[in-house]
Amino acid sequence: MEEKIHEKIHWADAKAAQVPSDVPQLIATGITPSGPIHLGNMREVMTGDMIYKALLSRGVEAELVYIADDFDPLRKVYPFLSDEYQKYIGWPVSDIPCPCGKHKSYAEHFLDPFLSAIEELDIHPRIIRTSEAYRSGMFTEQIKQALIHAEDIKKILEDVSGRKLEEGWTPYYPICSSCGTISRAAILSHDIENHTVTYKCPCGHEGVSDYSKGEGKLVWRVDWPMRWSVHGVTVEPFGKDHASPGGSYDTGKIITKEIYGYNAPVPVTYEWISLKGKGEMHSSKGVVLTIRDMLDIVAPEVLRYLIAKTKPDKTIAFDPGMGLLRLIDEYDKAAAAGESREFELSRIASPQTTIPFRHMVTVVQIARTDDAVFDILRRSGYEIVDKDAVLDQASRAKVWLDRYAPEDAKFALAESLPEIAAGERTEVKAAVAAYAKLIIGAEWKADVLHNAVYDAAEAAGVTGKDVFTGIYRAFLGADRGPRLGWFLEALGREETMKRLLEMSL
């Protein structure tokens, strides 16, 4: 009996149950804004948000934070950058000029659209910028302890990771006052009282770095566990690369305990989201589908549902073409049922329509104006409650058709009877005529219009496929098209009958 109950627990609730309910919980998510923040990155922040909401539903005091690692260095000139960025390699991304000139930094250029998008996704974390944290002196004491215990940390890293670190290894990288890079400089001395180190940069410059003013940062494997202790992180989702044996979580949980006296947060390891036909998403390789790209074509609830319905440790192969339509269909069924935990964690109080997205894809390819969209929908029996919501969905459908739809999902209504239809076989024309007689007085509903095809085929002694092909040729000049019932329902009785009768003459 217990097993059956456990199977019904949603993954977010199961993870929320792993932490004490009588103390506040802090869920941390984050990413380095070194390039477009894509759909794959969304999995981290949305996973964190769903655990956060699961904790709240259990009556647990909780907070969600998003840590923007904008103090990380630019590692290379990515495909989307011009060659002029070569001179900024190694600089903190918070200190590099914006690529478009509209934001205060390179980091904000990528953060701004991402933060806007997660607001639409009903994710409202407290934003922490690591550049501000370092430069405010928030980490001064922790950096000091890392420098004092550098040899202890080095031993932990070597013992756990199995890698030998170089002689003179240091957990602190100064920002060189000459070349501007976060450098693997040699630390020559440490003034504990004044929170400074003297260093020699690989560029040859010798200088002084004041870590109380953010003139340098800790290496990642020390920075991460340090932040857990400062922010009080109790739960954190992170990619599978950090969870490998001897990886940064394994070393981090020992460093945070032995150096900072803090227990590591409950880990939530997630798998990557890959893009169908292109593999795992990587900004550095130009394989991306940004959250903004997706919100241009689907309601935010659907993106939430994609993450909610899949356990974090399962990969997601995302198909923005027909796969996206199947995902929307699946969400619509969940919304109609309204009982699943996946739906509860996906739902947002945003403008909605009852119009299936597939139907809207058909409608916008028939309608030539906004008024025509409304006319077609009313003819199909849909009540127009919120015109803006309908036009928003119509806009998403158009964007999907333009960017992601396979060619066989697109069609163009022929202005007059195409030659291929006029020259159709006599028996097929007879079947189309029989079909026209069957539907002329019938209820104008998609399922009725679809099923009548088979009755007409039987009456005329041809196959259902023959009749479908004949009708598609009459309207589109092609052998295939959208779901016939929805297509004709949208087209309307008058225009449908006019073309069918024209073909059957």
Side-chain angles (χ1 to χ4, degrees):
M1 185 67 174
E2 288 185 1
E3 274 188 27
K4 289 184 179 178
I5 292 173
H6 180 72
E7 286 173 1
K8 294 180 180 179
I9 296 176
H10 187 268
W11 60 260
D13 295 308
K15 192 58 69 172
Q18 291 182 18
V19 300
S21 60
D22 57 347
V23 293
Q25 301 295 324
L26 189 140
I27 305 92
T29 67
I31 198 73
T32 300
S34 58
I37 301 177
H38 54 70
L39 189 63
N41 303 136
M42 179 191 73
R43 189 168 201 177
E44 174 161 323
V45 67
M46 202 169 293
T47 297
D49 181 67
M50 289 180 183
I51 295 169
Y52 164 70
K53 287 180 168 62
L55 284 165
L56 294 182
S57 68
R58 291 169 62 86
V60 180
E61 183 182 344
E63 183 181 21
L64 177 69
V65 299
Y66 182 83
I67 301 174
D69 285 320
D70 65 342
F71 211 40
D72 284 359
L74 181 68
R75 303 196 182 281
K76 64 178 182 178
V77 177
Y78 299 117
F80 49 82
L81 294 174
S82 64
D83 290 341
E84 69 178 287
Y85 279 85
Q86 186 73 36
K87 63 186 176 186
Y88 297 117
I89 292 177
W91 284 36
V93 292
S94 58
D95 296 348
I96 299 173
C98 168
C100 72
K102 297 178 181 177
H103 303 86
K104 70 176 185 179
S105 72
Y106 179 100
E108 293 302 315
H109 173 82
F110 296 108
L111 268 177
D112 185 60
F114 173 73
L115 295 178
S116 173
I118 64 173
E119 283 286 320
E120 288 185 49
L121 288 160
D122 193 34
I123 302 172
H124 312 285
R126 175 164 59 92
I127 309 301
I128 299 172
R129 289 170 172 80
T130 53
S131 61
E132 295 175 358
Y134 268 99
R135 286 168 172 161
S136 71
M138 180 182 288
F139 303 144
T140 300
E141 181 61 29
Q142 288 72 26
I143 296 171
K144 180 175 76 175
Q145 291 304 316
L147 285 164
I148 290 171
H149 297 284
E151 285 302 313
D152 298 324
I153 294 173
K154 180 182 179 184
K155 187 175 187 306
I156 293 169
L157 293 174
E158 289 181 334
D159 289 348
V160 179
S161 71
R163 292 190 298 115
K164 186 71 175 173
L165 298 175
E166 69 272 13
E167 196 65 34
W169 176 89
T170 174
Y172 179 75
Y173 288 172
I175 298 175
C176 179
S177 57
S178 176
C179 67
T181 64
I182 298 174
S183 63
R184 295 189 175 191
I187 302 300
L188 305 178
S189 65
H190 177 202
D191 184 336
I192 295 174
E193 187 175 337
N194 291 309
H195 308 121
T196 61
V197 299
T198 56
Y199 64 89
K200 184 172 183 179
C201 179
C203 75
H205 176 73
E206 289 190 23
V208 177
S209 170
D210 185 340
Y211 54 81
S212 70
K213 296 179 180 178
E215 293 178 357
K217 71 183 297 289
L218 294 174
V219 299
W220 164 249
R221 284 194 184 231
V222 184
D223 174 276
W224 195 24
M226 175 274 292
R227 283 190 269 162
W228 294 339
S229 68
V230 174
H231 299 310
V233 179
T234 59
V235 181
E236 182 159 0
F238 50 84
K240 63 178 182 179
D241 52 338
H242 297 307
S244 58
S248 48
Y249 182 77
D250 279 358
T251 56
K253 64 185 178 183
I254 298 175
I255 291 170
T256 199
K257 182 69 173 177
E258 295 190 5
I259 306 302
Y260 300 116
Y262 188 79
N263 292 322
V266 172
V268 186
T269 305
Y270 60 84
E271 274 280 355
W272 309 131
I273 297 179
S274 62
L275 194 55
K276 184 179 179 183
K278 295 186 178 180
E280 294 174 356
M281 291 189 207
H282 291 287
S283 295
S284 61
K285 298 178 182 177
V287 181
V288 295
L289 196 60
T290 68
I291 302 176
R292 181 72 268 156
D293 290 336
M294 283 293 89
L295 288 173
D296 285 345
I297 56 173
V298 294
E301 292 88 346
V302 176
L303 289 187
R304 290 188 64 89
Y305 185 74
L306 173 67
I307 305 303
K309 77 186 189 78
T310 312
K311 291 181 178 179
D313 61 356
K314 303 295 182 185
T315 58
I316 296 176
F318 188 74
D319 172 16
M322 296 306 293
L324 183 60
L325 293 196
R326 289 189 289 272
L327 174 66
I328 295 171
D329 288 346
E330 190 179 343
Y331 172 78
D332 287 344
K333 288 178 183 177
E339 297 175 351
S340 72
R341 186 60 168 145
E342 289 83 359
F343 171 67
E344 288 178 0
L345 288 168
S346 306
R347 183 172 48 189
I348 301 174
S350 61
Q352 297 288 303
T353 77
T354 58
I355 305 154
F357 191 78
R358 285 180 187 265
H359 186 52
M360 186 61 83
V361 167
T362 298
V363 170
V364 297
Q365 292 185 87
I366 295 173
R368 291 181 174 83
T369 65
D370 290 347
D371 286 341
V373 168
F374 295 128
D375 290 343
I376 291 170
L377 291 172
R378 290 191 185 97
R379 194 160 58 232
S380 298
Y382 292 104
E383 184 180 359
I384 308 300
V385 177
D386 186 333
K387 284 191 172 184
D388 288 339
V390 171
L391 291 176
D392 181 61
Q393 188 186 36
S395 174
R396 294 174 196 262
K398 291 174 184 176
V399 173
W400 180 77
L401 284 163
D402 181 56
R403 297 183 190 172
Y404 307 111
E407 287 305 312
D408 59 7
K410 303 174 186 179
F411 65 84
L413 195 62
E415 294 289 339
S416 58
L417 186 70
E419 287 185 20
I420 192 172
E424 187 60 89
R425 301 189 334 258
T426 302
E427 59 269 30
V428 173
K429 285 188 173 185
V432 171
Y435 178 75
K437 289 179 182 178
L438 284 171
I439 65 171
I440 191 168
E443 183 181 15
W444 205 257
K445 291 294 180 185
D447 56 343
V448 174
L449 297 171
H450 178 87
N451 293 332
V453 169
Y454 301 103
D455 294 333
E458 185 177 356
V462 297
T463 67
K465 182 180 178 181
D466 287 333
V467 183
F468 278 115
T469 301
I471 296 171
Y472 283 129
R473 286 178 173 179
F475 290 97
L476 310 177
D479 291 355
R480 287 185 294 274
R483 291 180 180 180
L484 186 66
W486 280 10
F487 171 66
L488 296 182
E489 181 185 76
L491 193 60
R493 191 189 301 270
E494 183 178 346
E495 193 163 348
T496 297
M497 297 310 302
K498 179 181 176 183
R499 183 62 59 85
L500 292 179
L501 293 174
E502 185 181 357
M503 179 180 177
S504 59
L505 291 176

